[in-house]
């Protein structure tokens, strides 16, 4: 059985891997944790703008 978690974000930019700890950056730091726990992830653009980020986890 799989659990799907979906987040709708207003920004259209696709999540990127985080920069080294000394680099200055805002947001995106939860992605490595979610990617490590998930069986799969997906990012889709929304017609109204922004994106939908989904993670599929084992239940």
């Amino acid at each position: 059985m799989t659990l799907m978690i979906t987040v709708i974000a207003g920004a259209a930019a696709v999540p990127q891997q985080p920069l080294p700890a000394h680099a200055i950056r805002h947001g995106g730091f939860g992605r490595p944790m979610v990617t490590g726990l998930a069986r799969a992830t997906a990012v889709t653009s929304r017609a109204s703008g922004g994106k939908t980020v989904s993670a599929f986890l084992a239940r």
Side-chain angles (χ1 to χ4, degrees):
M1 187 166 236
T2 302
L3 174 67
M4 180 176 79
I5 299 172
T6 302
V7 176
I8 297 171
V14 175
Q16 302 294 316
Q17 290 293 0
L19 297 172
H22 65 276
I24 297 173
R25 181 167 171 216
H26 301 285
F29 297 105
R31 184 172 186 243
M33 178 179 65
V34 171
T35 301
L37 294 171
R39 289 184 174 185
T41 59
V43 180
T44 55
S45 297
R46 298 176 53 83
S48 59
K51 63 184 173 288
T52 301
V53 181
S54 301
F56 304 88
L57 297 102
R59 184 160 178 231

